């Protein structure tokens, strides 16, 4: 019995969901609450700029320091490569109503304006979270780079307006696609709107974050006239530490990638898996199970096993944990390859992860086991198999790393060279 | 400007989503709230039954009168056809903790038991919403029919237990698949679990609600050793009324299928579409726009157009509305064909609907326009085109019905004959 399951709430929670999901054939009045609004696509209004000259515009949801990591950080790195060819540059922040910029970024000294201000020369940042009743100046030679789906949705409107106002020829915007974003939602209006932004080959040049994601779009029959993609670069600090920590002895330790706030990392499923593993596997008590990623409460899954949170750790701590860990569990429901399973394999950790559509990371390393079915019973069985194989095999990370084959090593070593080799070609088209 | 858009809340709502969705690289402690639990898969415990004899078991989330419509009603119709060959029958209600049965159903006089009760002869209903610490009796010759994904998940556990306890050969359960249920969730644990139930060809005989849905599963590379499907039967009352209402004159009226509580019917997107249509289309003020499906507040989209809710209507009222309506809008983000676009076309209504994967209802009737992109601007343009075409064309539903071609008519007329022709073959395998 999974003791951490609370018995209370079962009935009510489900019936609530049932009432919400299935056909409501009763005549109960449905009230229109906030859910009918999609604030991200609150319309921009536009006006002609009094200024002229070629300008490149990046649309991002947020630009404050605390939001610059992951997808937004990647977008800013790409944009920084693109702006070299432009005399004037603008960042349009679509969702924040005010920004607290980081101190040492390439845009840290740019002019920050609230939307509704006159157009200005040089480089600027326009904050548009409170855009109701205010207008954004557009030049005849404004070019656009979109990121999250709703920034693309808004950029389409800007380009329509521009074409109408200036009779410009139809141009294409650059669209940085870092995941299949409809998957972040159930089948719903946001799913539909996100999907609609991928259906304008005549207006977009997509840039995909990984070839795997690009292949997914092609397999799902999305059409593009032109497209680029780039591959992940492994963290050079992790690469250095791998050399230094190579002789660390592996412990009976399972590391899970635990991010309760990111649904596609399937944290509840990992907890289920550990609970079933602990119940089924007779030697479970000999193992430590730790969770890195986000800080959360420790979870006692039964009398012998506690899922212990170490939270977000520094790169050195991460390297130490990877060196000492024998087995990893890292799930990501998306066609995007996530870094942790690859980083684990690079440190000689045997990893349980999941397939998704065209994604199968087991092709990249013999240490990665990717399962078809995300049944926690299947995952637990795979985990027991890996735990059992440990004692008869190699002991240190260094020895395990030797088991990495060439595909794996070459992936880890592709840290040199430009990240976005296609940029020159891309901006030639603007 | 879409006036119904509230300006308030934009900033906070989005930033909340952002914090939830994107990588949380801050060290904020994530607390484990209720979301880590998946109450639907709360484990059953099993025990050997003291009784013997072949029995068929249906697992459904709910059986109370108010829940018997849509998917559960279809499941009960199928089950009723299957039970004829069995001396003993049981319905296991997985989510309700108590049931209020309808009065005149085939199971209305069956014994209702709480889970934890001894097994009984004859036909019974076992209510399992409060199953913590209680056990369900299983016979050697219990056979299972699953419906919603979590009933399949639980049935797999019952079959595993049965095989262990009785050394029965591996059997297959019947799995009634009425939609691609992972689509009801974002990429998350529930998505993963729902998906995992489709990955047991060795344990399931799926029965798909429509051939279109079956094709979708095949195109997405799900494997099945055996499978059946059935097609929708149109409501005979609607069929009768079509003859009687045939000479009704069509009005300048747009009917939308409005169900705010069912996300995949995209109600917010329909409201957006009507707002853009009303703003762009110079004759919009001549048209009435009504919403049928669920009762909701009327929505003034701007100074000239109100989306007026008529709520859930009787079949006769529905037939009257269909007869008087010129244009329909009915969206459903799923590979399942939904009834309203087809019913509208049968009554001579020109319909705007959406494609999804292999679904394209425009192949069924020349009156159905199915769009690729669910951009509200694209939908509004399509709607304007249909409104404009109205005045130059046929006037009454009867005349418009004549425009239905054979494919369309044969679909509407397939109301005779058994709904589940494959049942005999299916139960032969039990």
């Amino acid at each position: 019995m999974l003791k951490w399951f609370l018995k209370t709430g079962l009935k009510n929670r489900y019936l609530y969901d049932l009432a919400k999901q299935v056909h409501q054939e009763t005549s109960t009045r449905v009230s229109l609450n906030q859910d009918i609004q999609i604030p991200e696509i609150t319309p921009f209004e536009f006006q002609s700029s009094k200024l002229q000259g070629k300008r490149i515009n990046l649309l991002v949801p947020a630009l404050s320091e605390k939001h610059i990591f992951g997808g937004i950080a990647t977008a800013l790195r790409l944009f920084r490569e693109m702006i070299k060819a432009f005399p004037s540059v603008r960042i349009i922040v679509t969702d924040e109503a005010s920004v607290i910029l980081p101190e040492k970024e390439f845009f840290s000294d740019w002019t920050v304006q609230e939307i509704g201000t006159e157009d200005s020369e040089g480089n600027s940042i326009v904050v548009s979270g409170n855009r109701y009743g205010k207008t954004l100046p557009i030049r005849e030679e404004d070019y656009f780079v979109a990121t999250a789906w709703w920034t693309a949705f808004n950029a389409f409107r800007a380009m329509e307006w521009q074409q109408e106002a200036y009779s410009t020829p139809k141009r294409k915007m650059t669209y940085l696609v870092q995941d299949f974003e409809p998957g972040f939602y159930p089948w719903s209006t946001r799913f539909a709107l996100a999907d609609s932004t991928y259906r304008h080959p005549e207006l977009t040049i997509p840039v995909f974050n990984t070839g795997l994601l690009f292949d997914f779009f092609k397999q799902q029959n999305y059409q593009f006239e032109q497209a680029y993609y780039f591959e992940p670069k492994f963290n050079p600090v992790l690469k250095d530490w791998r050399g230094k920590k190579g002789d660390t002895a592996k412990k009976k330790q399972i590391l899970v990638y635990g991010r309760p706030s990111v649904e596609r990392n399937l944290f509840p499923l990992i907890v289920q898996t550990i609970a079933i593993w602990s119940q089924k596997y007779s030697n479970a008590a000999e193992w430590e199970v730790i969770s890195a990623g986000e800080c959360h409460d420790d979870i006692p899954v039964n009398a012998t096993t506690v899922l212990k949170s170490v939270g977000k750790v520094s790169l050195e701590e991460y390297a130490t944990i990877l060196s000492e860990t024998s087995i990893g569990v890292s799930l990501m429901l998306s066609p995007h390859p996530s870094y942790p399973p690859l980083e684990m394999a690079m440190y000689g950790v045997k990893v349980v992860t999941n397939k998704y559509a065209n994604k199968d990371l087991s092709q990249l390393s013999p240490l990665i086991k990717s399962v078809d079915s995300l049944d926690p019973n299947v995952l637990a069985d795979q985990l027991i198999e890996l735990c059992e194989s440990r004692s008869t095999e190699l002991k240190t990370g260094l020895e395990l790393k030797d088991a990495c084959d060439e595909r794996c090593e070459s992936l880890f070593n592709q840290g040199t060279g430009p990240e976005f080799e296609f940029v020159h070609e891309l901006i030639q088209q603007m």
Side-chain angles (χ1 to χ4, degrees), chain A:
Chain A
M1 180 57 56
L2 312 181
K3 286 199 178 160
W4 56 270
F5 250 151
L6 291 183
K7 147 184 135 175
T8 57
L10 166 67
K11 189 177 57 172
N12 293 341
R13 166 67 183 261
Y14 170 69
L15 288 180
Y16 172 78
D17 283 354
L18 187 77
K20 249 191 91 177
Q21 279 170 21
V22 300
H23 299 200
Q24 281 209 337
E25 300 274 315
T26 60
S27 60
T28 316
R29 173 171 288 267
V30 173
S31 61
L32 297 170
N33 58 21
Q34 197 176 312
D35 291 339
I36 202 182
Q37 299 166 54
I38 313 290
E40 303 95 297
I41 61 160
T42 298
F44 277 83
E45 291 186 62
F46 306 104
Q47 64 174 43
S48 296
S49 168
K50 288 172 185 155
L51 303 178
Q52 289 188 327
K54 207 166 175 175
R55 176 166 58 182
I56 186 167
N57 296 263
L58 175 72
L59 292 95
V60 279
L63 201 60
S64 286
E65 181 159 23
K66 63 180 172 183
H67 296 301
I68 300 182
F69 54 83
I72 291 179
T74 306
L76 288 167
R77 284 201 309 280
L78 171 63
F79 191 57
R80 189 178 193 174
E81 295 299 313
M82 296 179 77
I83 63 181
K84 291 168 187 167
F86 290 83
S88 189
V89 184
R90 183 166 63 169
I91 297 177
I92 300 164
V93 181
T94 58
D95 296 74
E96 286 187 294
S98 64
V99 291
I100 299 166
L101 297 181
E103 276 183 19
K104 288 182 180 169
E105 276 283 3
F106 65 93
F107 52 82
S108 296
D109 61 349
W110 294 9
T111 310
V112 177
Q113 300 178 321
E114 269 226 44
I115 186 166
T117 317
E118 285 285 310
D119 203 0
S120 63
E121 300 281 2
N123 300 339
S124 62
I125 294 164
V126 178
V127 177
S128 320
N130 281 341
R131 60 179 165 271
Y132 189 87
K134 295 172 185 166
T135 56
L136 181 73
I138 301 279
R139 299 184 192 171
E140 186 174 347
E141 285 196 274
D142 267 323
Y143 290 80
F144 298 94
V145 180
T147 55
W149 68 263
W150 59 94
T151 70
F153 188 93
N154 289 320
F156 287 136
R157 305 290 91 77
M159 285 164 70
E160 279 163 17
W161 186 92
Q162 186 184 39
Q163 215 199 327
E164 184 101 345
Y166 296 109
S167 305
T168 49
K170 271 209 174 172
R171 288 172 185 159
K172 288 182 180 170
M173 69 182 189
T174 302
Y175 187 3
L176 176 59
V177 179
Q178 305 208 56
D179 208 328
F180 177 69
E181 296 187 6
F184 299 171
Y185 312 98
W187 282 333
S188 60
T189 294
R190 281 186 174 85
F191 185 114
L193 291 170
D195 181 84
S196 77
T197 63
Y198 305 139
R199 298 183 183 278
H200 288 291
E202 79 289 5
L203 294 175
T204 51
I205 302 176
V207 173
F208 291 96
N209 185 336
T210 77
L212 200 61
L213 186 65
F214 182 30
D215 288 341
F216 174 81
F217 275 84
K218 284 186 287 189
Q219 285 183 21
Q220 297 291 318
N221 291 320
Y222 292 90
Q223 309 291 324
F224 301 104
E225 292 173 4
Q226 280 176 282
Y228 298 94
Y229 66 90
F230 58 93
E231 297 295 356
K233 297 281 176 196
F234 282 94
N235 190 303
V237 179
L238 279 187
K239 209 174 136 186
D240 285 354
W241 278 108
R242 188 171 80 141
K244 294 179 196 161
K245 305 269 185 185
D247 57 351
T248 310
K250 294 273 183 197
K251 299 195 287 193
K252 286 191 172 176
Q253 179 170 285
I254 296 172
L255 170 65
V256 311
Y257 186 49
R259 299 205 301 174
S261 83
V262 183
E263 291 193 298
R264 61 190 180 283
N265 287 127
L266 309 179
F267 188 69
L269 187 61
I270 290 178
V271 177
Q272 281 267 359
T273 299
I274 298 298
I276 295 169
W277 165 85
S278 177
Q279 189 183 24
K280 270 188 168 179
Y281 182 39
S282 51
N283 299 326
E286 297 168 13
W287 289 72
E288 295 283 322
V289 191
I290 61 175
S291 163
E294 287 173 356
C295 195
H296 58 76
D297 295 335
D298 291 347
I299 303 172
V301 296
N302 60 21
T304 46
T305 302
V306 176
L307 178 58
K308 200 168 171 327
S309 170
V310 299
K312 174 158 175 55
V313 293
S314 70
L315 280 171
E316 188 185 346
E317 288 170 309
Y318 185 38
T320 304
I321 292 170
L322 287 173
S323 303
E324 293 172 350
T325 295
S326 299
I327 316 273
V329 181
S330 184
L331 307 178
M332 166 88 149
L333 203 54
S334 158
H336 192 281
S338 66
Y339 291 64
L342 303 173
E343 290 160 351
M344 288 176 183
M346 296 302 170
Y347 272 76
V349 178
K350 293 180 180 178
V351 191
V352 181
T353 189
N354 62 291
K355 293 185 190 172
Y356 185 82
N358 60 317
K359 174 172 82 173
D360 180 3
L361 299 182
S362 70
Q363 293 170 352
L364 297 177
S365 164
L367 296 179
I368 298 177
K369 306 291 172 194
S370 51
V371 298
D372 257 326
S373 167
L374 282 165
D375 185 324
N377 299 280
V378 172
L379 290 166
D381 287 344
Q382 180 64 69
L383 197 53
I384 291 170
E385 200 182 305
L386 290 188
C387 289
E388 281 292 273
S389 74
R390 178 193 178 272
S391 54
T392 59
E393 285 185 18
L394 305 160
K395 292 289 162 52
T396 69
L398 204 59
E399 288 166 298
L400 282 162
K401 277 186 312 189
D402 292 342
C404 269
D405 67 5
E406 268 178 41
R407 295 163 299 180
C408 187
E409 280 298 319
S410 71
L411 195 74
F412 199 53
N413 287 323
Q414 66 181 10
T416 54
E419 190 176 10
F420 310 108
E421 289 170 294
F422 51 84
V423 162
H424 184 69
E425 202 179 309
L426 183 62
I427 58 181
Q428 289 271 308
Q429 299 168 60
M430 294 181 169

